[in-house]
């Protein structure tokens, strides 16, 4: 493992940011859940581009501009060679609604698989039909021990993929909405319907966008009122930004966050930049 020497703090306190690229030793690569890396490359025009080449267990990155590495043991940034490609499709304003849905769904598939793979597994040694031994992984919990909570409306778009990957999971819904008439785009709570005994379950919160963090914070507080422990919450998210991550990790240090990318900024309207615009409007074709 190597690190370029320069070290610096950026806006949020909770992330250690280093300039440089971290290459993982093979044995550490599997343990990346405890070593979270986001590489944010700011191109010459201020537009974010990202290009990573993953070779085996080590990561090689070619880029121009600034590379920022975040570390927080509870924040996982999806490492998959397809993510930059898939994200670039849905960031493109010219992407049709059908392509937007198709490419979004593909990233959601990867994100939700990542969340499931992070759950405790029983490992037994079994024999293949050819006679050799293999390690057989099975989730320790049953689907009934899990609950997906969608943040209406954009979070609902993630539910079909959740059902595909974990059929039988219980579902809760929370309706919170950013009040776009306020300067800080404060979120307002309207409604929740949560399964009984949610306090005993592992909860996946589903919402593609993490901007100020206000919406997700309201949902986590609602879950905590029901007795859900922070360590039993994983927020599955597509695009985040430093402010939203900082908001959640400081208020709820024990939750886990899985995101596909950390974009660098928010604009004056508190939309993520570069982001992709309003995720719900684009997915549901309602703008
Ligand atoms: C979007 C998004 C999140 C929220 C993120 O929802 O789906 O819930 O904004 O922003 P925040 O981190 O600043 O709170 P929105 O309120 O636009 O509703 P929608 O799902 O109906 O689009
Ligand atoms: N909601 C969205 O859909 N996009 C953003 O960038 C911020 C909030």
């Amino acid at each position: 493992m190597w690190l370029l020497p320069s070290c610096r703090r950026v806006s949020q306190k909770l992330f250690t940011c280093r300039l440089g690229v971290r290459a993982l030793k093979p044995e550490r690569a599997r343990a990346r859940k405890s070593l979270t890396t986001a590489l944010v490359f700011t191109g010459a025009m201020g537009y974010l581009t990202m290009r990573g080449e993953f070779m085996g267990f080590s990561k090689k990155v070619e880029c121009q501009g600034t590379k920022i590495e975040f570390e927080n043991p509870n924040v996982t940034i999806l490492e998959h060679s397809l993510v930059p490609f898939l994200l670039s499709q849905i960031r493109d304003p010219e992407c049709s609604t059908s392509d937007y849905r198709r490419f979004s769904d593909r990233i959601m598939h990867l994100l939700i698989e990542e969340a499931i793979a992070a759950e405790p597994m029983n490992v037994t040694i079994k024999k293949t039909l050819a006679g050799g031994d293999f390690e057989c992984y099975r989730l320790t919990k049953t689907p009934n021990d899990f609950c997906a909570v969608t943040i209406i409306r954009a979070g609902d778009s993630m539910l079909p993929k959740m059902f595909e990957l974990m059929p039988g999971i219980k579902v809760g819904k929370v309706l919170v909405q950013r009040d776009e008439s306020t300067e800080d785009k404060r979120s307002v709570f309207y409604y929740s319907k949560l399964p009984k005994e949610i306090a005993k379950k592992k909860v996946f919160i589903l919402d593609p966008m993490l901007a100020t963090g206000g919406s997700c914070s309201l949902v986590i507080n609602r879950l905590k009122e029901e007795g859900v422990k922070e360590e039993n919450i994983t927020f599955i998210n597509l695009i985040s930004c430093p402010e939203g991550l900082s908001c959640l990790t400081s208020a709820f240090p024990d939750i886990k966050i899985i995101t596909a990318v950390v974009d660098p900024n928010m604009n004056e309207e508190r939309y993520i930049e570069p982001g992709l615009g309003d995720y719900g409007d684009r997915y549901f074709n309602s703008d």
Side-chain angles (χ1 to χ4, degrees):
M1 181 169 68
W2 52 271
L3 283 172
L4 295 183
S6 48
C7 222
R8 71 171 186 185
R9 282 274 194 205
V10 289
S11 54
Q12 77 285 12
K13 295 187 191 116
L14 283 145
F15 293 89
T16 308
C17 304
R18 294 190 183 91
L19 287 177
V21 178
R22 184 190 290 269
L24 298 179
K25 280 185 180 172
E27 66 271 21
R28 300 260 345 242
R30 284 274 154 223
R32 68 174 191 274
K33 309 238 163 5
S34 61
L35 175 65
T36 306
T37 305
L39 295 162
V40 181
F41 310 135
T42 308
M45 302 300 288
Y47 189 80
L48 185 141
T49 58
M50 180 169 176
R51 180 164 167 231
E53 185 188 340
F54 299 87
M55 300 179 68
F57 287 111
S58 68
K59 180 162 63 180
K60 278 190 176 178
V61 179
E62 296 168 22
C63 66
Q64 291 191 329
T66 313
K67 294 165 265 184
I68 303 172
E69 181 174 297
F70 298 93
E71 277 186 31
N72 181 298
N74 285 337
V75 180
T76 298
I77 289 92
L78 188 63
E79 290 183 14
H80 194 290
S81 53
L82 271 178
V83 168
F85 166 77
L86 295 171
L87 272 173
S88 77
Q89 306 302 313
I90 59 175
R91 286 189 197 278
D92 187 342
E94 289 170 19
C95 184
S96 66
T97 302
S98 58
D99 279 348
Y100 185 89
R101 289 177 182 156
R102 190 160 57 89
F103 288 118
S104 295
D105 290 349
R106 283 177 63 183
I107 313 184
M108 295 314 176
H109 193 109
L110 300 174
L111 274 170
I112 295 169
E113 275 183 337
E114 183 81 14
I116 293 172
E119 290 302 305
M121 303 267 179
N122 289 326
V123 187
T124 54
I125 305 298
K126 291 177 82 172
K127 287 209 182 300
T128 66
L129 290 174
D133 288 346
F134 74 100
E135 288 181 343
C136 179
Y137 294 85
R138 293 286 180 268
L139 280 171
T140 310
K141 297 187 174 105
T142 68
N144 207 33
D145 297 322
F146 291 90
C147 178
V149 172
T150 66
I151 305 184
I152 303 169
R153 145 195 78 151
D156 287 333
S157 69
M158 300 167 71
L159 209 44
K161 279 291 164 198
M162 192 80 233
F163 288 157
E164 195 179 314
L165 292 166
M166 199 178 269
I169 191 171
K170 289 183 179 292
V171 174
K173 302 244 173 189
V174 184
L175 174 56
V176 294
Q177 186 113 48
R178 280 168 38 128
D179 182 350
E180 300 292 346
S181 67
T182 60
E183 198 176 328
D184 58 359
K185 312 299 173 196
R186 186 172 315 143
S187 230
V188 182
F189 173 88
Y190 290 100
Y191 160 90
S192 68
K193 187 81 180 177
L194 300 169
K196 290 194 190 81
E197 303 200 324
I198 193 170
K200 296 182 190 159
K201 304 198 184 296
K202 168 76 209 209
V203 177
F204 292 131
I205 299 176
L206 307 181
D207 191 336
M209 304 304 279
L210 173 63
T212 65
S215 303
C216 192
S217 296
L218 285 179
V219 174
I220 294 170
N221 280 326
R222 178 70 196 90
L223 293 174
K224 289 179 74 170
E225 277 170 22
E226 289 297 310
V228 181
K229 293 195 177 72
E230 280 184 29
E231 60 261 35
N232 287 334
I233 297 175
T234 297
F235 177 38
I236 307 180
N237 163 259
L238 175 68
I239 301 185
S240 57
C241 64
E243 189 171 324
L245 287 170
S246 186
C247 167
L248 293 188
T249 53
S250 56
F252 312 106
D254 292 328
I255 66 157
K256 293 179 198 65
I257 301 171
I258 296 180
T259 185
V261 69
V262 185
D263 278 2
N265 302 312
M266 276 190 289
N267 66 18
E268 282 179 5
E269 296 300 311
R270 317 286 275 161
Y271 272 78
I272 299 169
E273 264 190 356
L276 43 70
D278 190 303
Y279 185 95
D281 282 352
R282 295 193 64 195
Y283 195 95
F284 295 111
N285 200 13
S286 57
D287 55 350

